[in-house]
Amino acid sequence: MNSPQRKTESTADNRYLSATHEVINQPRPLENYNLYEQDTALREAVLREGAGFANDDLSQFGAWAGQADTIDLGNQANANKPSFRTHDRYGHRVDEVTFHPAYHELMRVALENGLHSSPWTNPGKGAHVARAAKYYLHSQVEAAHCCPITMTFAAIPSIQNQPDLAKLWAPKILANEYDSRNVPDTDKTSVTIGMAMTEKQGGSDVRANTTVAYPTGQEGPGQPYELVGHKWFVSAPMCDAFLVLAQTTSGLSCFLMPRWRPDGTKNPWQVQQLKNKMGNVANASSEVEIRGALAWMVGEEGRGVRTIIEMVAMTRFDCMIGSAAGMRQAVAQASHHCHNRSAFGATLSDQPLMQNVLADLIIENEAALAYTMRVARAMDNQNNEHERLLARLATPVGKYWICKRTPNHAYEAMECIGGSGVMEDCIMPRLFRESPVNAIWEGSGNVQCLDTLRALQKEPETLDAFFKEAAEARGTDRRFDQFLAQLQHDFADISDFQYRARNLVDRMALTMQGSLLLRFGDKNVADAFCASRLQSSGGMNYGNLPSGTNPAAIIKRGTPVVG
């Protein structure tokens, strides 16, 4: 019997047998680039709105925000949810939330860069604009941790209603440092501030709140009370103190409630559980019960909404910044991918239909940014009556529109990337899950529309200021002129405004965005905006730019270049 002949020569080298293919036609990750220098629209807005002095600082910050190690901080903070424990091993109530070190590092950078304080510590021309630009960059790294930054920033106008409390708390609130320790505020030189408004039975209807404040002695502003009740949604429960709404004999009032009493004992403010959210994962949100917690009245008794609304207005503005930033990061990812990947014989960003979608996404982002930064300039000039009135009306309109446009924007950007954009090891799923948050928090869409109506009723001059500002672009584009005229005509009768509010507020936002882009924006962006938003082209989804626009120029302008 013949034995099989031993094979002495391979038909193929084993090295080639183990290599099934070479990975080609895939873009590099979007990292190690300067978020500020690669964002033409942002740089233009910073100069236009009066913050050119901050250009070098923003460039340095943009370089940090684009580093691979920085981007990974956002990934780590979201991959490791906060954990909560009610008691320590000896049975003492601690109500402690533990965060991943990446979260603390992002908080440290934010606070040390004054994202919670700079317009208050260094007020003046361009202060809010510069801060908004830096917040815009920072929230692209990781949006969830920006919640306590925003609330700390926004607390100052409300706390200043009570000068004696502001004297004690403002220096620590405004300190540009971060102290994450779970210790009394008396042992800290810097603190963060949260907000506790909503309850189970009312939600946005805070006048239905049942939490009660009992005076411990003398009653009135600045005096101590003990609070009993609950709060249904409290984000960032590790903040050092909270602005809280509670009922007194005179009605709903505002209180400053620290987590620790002055004697160093724990205030009986007890976290029941952390919310299990679909997004905003790195930020802890909680349900709490208040069992006689010591707090001090802020502002006039019975006027708690009026006192805390100044904080709410600021947080709504940050929602605009955050949503516009989410759009920017989404379209940066999409345009980078399409610039570096080919299909059907051409680079994706050179394919006509993909050009239409990408350009449309960039237009949406630039319109949101232009609107937001114009409001920032108005905030820098509140001593000017036109600017004050404009900010009052433009804030709820912008918060409603920009935040509401973000979820579909995130989805379309994800679709541009395709299957790899759905994978959890890239930022796109996080951007998508984060995208509805700002539209719901700090007052949902209907609440913003009702606040717009409230502004018109209490100060009718706000509408005059809004239309005066928008009309600055009159005569530059026929489509804009017609859109503006129709909107003004439809405001002649607002008897059923509440029913029609969404339609009117939609068009107010589009009118202001169109005006700003026509006056200050890129001509190709402005033309395509008017053609697609102000003149009906038959489609509501992204990718409906009509013929005659210049998508290639818009895409070139909006695509980050990684060296």
Side-chain angles (χ1 to χ4, degrees), residues 84-96 182 260 266:
F84 169 63
R85 62 173 184 152
T86 56
H87 297 77
D88 65 14
R89 65 193 181 104
Y90 302 108
H92 301 122
R93 185 93 196 195
V94 292
D95 291 296
E96 187 167 25
N182 185 19
W260 299 83
K266 187 182 178 302

Side-chain angles (χ1 to χ4, degrees), residues 485-501:
Q486 184 62 53
L487 179 61
Q488 289 178 306
H489 175 270
D490 291 346
F491 265 98
D493 178 15
I494 60 171
S495 58
D496 62 343
F497 181 95
Q498 188 171 142
Y499 182 76
R500 296 185 293 129

Side-chain angles (χ1 to χ4, degrees), residues 107 110-111 115-116 131 135 145-154:
M107 287 288 291
L111 289 166
L115 293 184
H116 67 302
R131 184 258 175 187
Y135 188 102
H145 81 284
C146 292
C147 180
I149 301 301
T150 284
M151 291 190 294
T152 303
F153 164 69

Side-chain angles (χ1 to χ4, degrees), residues 158-483:
S158 291
I159 291 177
Q160 286 176 337
N161 283 287
Q162 197 59 48
D164 51 340
L165 290 177
K167 184 178 180 180
L168 291 172
W169 284 89
K172 293 184 179 184
I173 295 171
L174 298 174
N176 287 0
E177 56 188 69
Y178 177 54
D179 188 339
S180 64
R181 293 177 300 155
N182 185 19
V183 298
D185 54 89
T186 52
D187 294 341
K188 293 186 173 187
T189 57
S190 64
V191 297
T192 54
I193 305 294
M195 179 168 50
M197 295 175 61
T198 60
E199 297 180 7
K200 296 181 179 74
Q201 71 284 348
S204 295
D205 183 11
V206 295
R207 296 191 185 278
N209 283 7
T210 60
T211 296
V212 178
Y214 299 97
T216 61
Q218 185 177 344
E219 301 180 31
Q223 297 302 316
Y225 287 70
E226 289 187 344
L227 310 186
V228 177
H230 81 280
K231 294 298 171 182
W232 179 231
F233 210 107
V234 179
S235 282
M238 292 304 290
C239 287
D240 296 284
F242 301 83
L243 285 178
V244 182
L245 292 179
Q247 302 282 0
T248 68
T249 54
S250 297
L252 198 62
S253 304
C254 182
F255 296 86
L256 179 66
M257 182 190 69
R259 282 200 300 115
W260 299 83
R261 288 174 175 256
D263 62 3
T265 60
K266 187 182 178 302
N267 223 357
W269 179 88
Q270 298 177 355
V271 176
Q272 302 305 297
Q273 65 174 344
L274 298 187
K275 298 284 192 179
N276 187 18
K277 298 173 292 183
M278 63 167 275
N280 203 248
V281 171
N283 172 41
S285 299
S286 64
E287 302 167 23
V288 304
E289 289 189 348
I290 308 170
R291 303 177 182 273
L294 189 62
W296 285 261
M297 185 179 288
V298 179
E300 187 178 350
E301 184 174 0
R303 303 298 298 272
V305 173
R306 181 181 180 182
T307 300
I308 207 169
I309 201 67
E310 297 182 66
M311 182 179 188
V312 173
M314 288 292 176
T315 59
R316 287 174 176 173
F317 174 65
D318 273 13
C319 286
M320 291 165 56
I321 305 173
S323 289
M327 288 186 187
R328 172 55 190 169
Q329 184 56 216
V331 80
Q333 295 287 336
S335 60
H336 168 75
H337 176 90
C338 293
H339 181 69
N340 291 281
R341 183 169 171 82
S342 298
F344 307 110
T347 302
L348 278 175
S349 57
D350 291 331
Q351 298 280 8
L353 188 53
M354 182 60 82
Q355 284 188 329
N356 198 318
V357 175
L358 286 175
D360 212 357
L361 292 171
I362 292 169
I363 291 165
E364 191 71 39
N365 172 231
E366 292 209 16
L369 176 64
Y371 190 112
T372 299
M373 297 299 270
R374 177 62 185 92
V375 174
R377 172 155 62 95
M379 292 169 62
D380 276 324
N381 295 278
Q382 288 294 285
N383 58 331
N384 179 294
E385 185 67 359
H386 171 77
E387 299 294 302
R388 184 190 70 81
L389 293 168
L390 180 64
R392 173 64 186 94
L393 193 58
T395 299
V397 171
K399 196 275 186 186
Y400 163 83
W401 180 253
I402 293 169
C403 298
K404 191 166 288 295
R405 296 285 286 178
T406 304
N408 200 42
H409 188 277
Y411 157 70
E412 288 285 359
M414 182 182 288
E415 188 176 294
C416 289
I417 297 173
S420 63
V422 186
M423 300 300 108
E424 290 288 357
D425 50 4
C426 79
I427 196 175
M428 292 307 301
R430 172 157 41 109
L431 292 176
F432 184 64
R433 287 193 298 269
E434 194 76 30
S435 63
V437 170
N438 286 330
I440 296 171
W441 286 7
E442 309 306 331
S444 61
N446 284 354
V447 171
Q448 300 310 310
C449 290
L450 292 174
D451 191 41
T452 300
L453 175 58
R454 187 178 301 108
L456 296 178
Q457 291 173 333
K458 289 191 173 182
E459 291 187 282
E461 321 84 86
T462 57
L463 187 62
D464 296 332
F466 191 93
F467 279 135
K468 179 181 179 182
E469 178 74 23
E472 290 292 322
R474 185 181 284 134
T476 58
D477 188 281
R478 171 187 52 82
R479 298 159 297 190
F480 173 81
D481 290 351
Q482 292 175 347
F483 196 86

